[in-house]
C-alpha cells in the first residue's frame, strides 16, 4: 500500500470573510447611512437595549398598578396552568378563527 498525503487546497470566500468581520453595529450604521435624509419622521432605534430611554416605550401607569396589585395579592405567585389561562385561550381561539377566515385554500 502506497503512503502519500494529499494536500487540500481550500480557498475562503472573500464575501463571507467580509461579512463575518462586520458587527451588528456596523450593519446598523450601513442601514442608517441609507435612510432618506429629507424624511423628517423620527427613527426609533429598535436595537437599543433599554426601551425605558424612550418615552414611547414607557409602561403605562395602569399596567404598573395591575402588576403591583397582582404581586401584593399573592394570588398569582405560581406558574400558570400548563393548558393556559382560560380567558387567554378564548382570546387566542377567537383571533386564530378570524385569521383562518382570511386564508384561502
Amino acid at each position: 500500500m502506497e503512503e502519500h498525503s494529499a494536500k487540500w487546497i481550500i480557498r475562503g470566500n472573500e464575501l463571507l470573510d467580509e461579512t463575518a468581520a462586520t458587527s451588528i453595529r456596523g450593519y446598523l450604521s450601513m442601514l442608517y447611512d441609507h435612510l432618506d435624509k429629507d424624511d423628517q419622521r423620527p427613527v426609533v432605534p429598535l436595537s437599543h437595549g433599554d426601551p425605558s430611554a424612550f418615552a414611547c416605550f414607557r409602561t403605562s401607569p395602569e399596567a404598573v398598578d395591575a402588576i403591583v396589585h397582582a404581586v401584593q395579592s399573592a394570588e398569582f405567585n405560581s406558574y400558570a396552568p400548563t393548558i393556559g389561562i382560560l380567558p387567554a385561550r378564548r382570546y387566542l381561539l377567537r383571533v386564530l378563527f378570524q385569521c383562518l377566515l382570511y386564508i384561502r385554500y
Side-chain angles (χ1 to χ4, degrees), residues 52-97:
S52 65
F54 303 95
C56 60
F57 291 123
R58 298 255 161 87
T59 305
S60 70
E62 296 83 7
V64 172
D65 291 342
I67 292 168
V68 168
H69 173 71
V71 170
Q72 289 177 338
S73 73
E75 293 178 32
F76 305 99
N77 293 350
S78 62
Y79 290 110
T82 56
I83 60 170
I85 300 170
L86 185 58
R89 289 179 18 222
R90 285 184 178 150
Y91 176 78
L92 288 174
L93 181 62
R94 195 170 347 133
V95 170
L96 288 173
F97 182 72

Side-chain angles (χ1 to χ4, degrees), residues 8-66:
W8 289 23
I9 301 173
I10 300 174
R11 294 185 184 102
N13 184 324
E14 291 178 16
L15 180 60
L16 290 178
D17 290 340
E18 291 172 18
T19 304
T22 306
S23 67
I24 291 174
R25 186 170 300 279
Y27 283 113
L28 286 172
S29 294
M30 283 191 279
L31 286 172
Y32 285 129
D33 290 342
H34 287 86
L35 291 176
D36 181 2
K37 306 296 187 229
D38 296 327
D39 190 343
Q40 296 300 312
R41 293 177 295 175
V43 175
V44 178
L46 297 178
S47 63
H48 195 279
D50 182 10
S52 65
F54 303 95
C56 60
F57 291 123
R58 298 255 161 87
T59 305
S60 70
E62 296 83 7
V64 172
D65 291 342

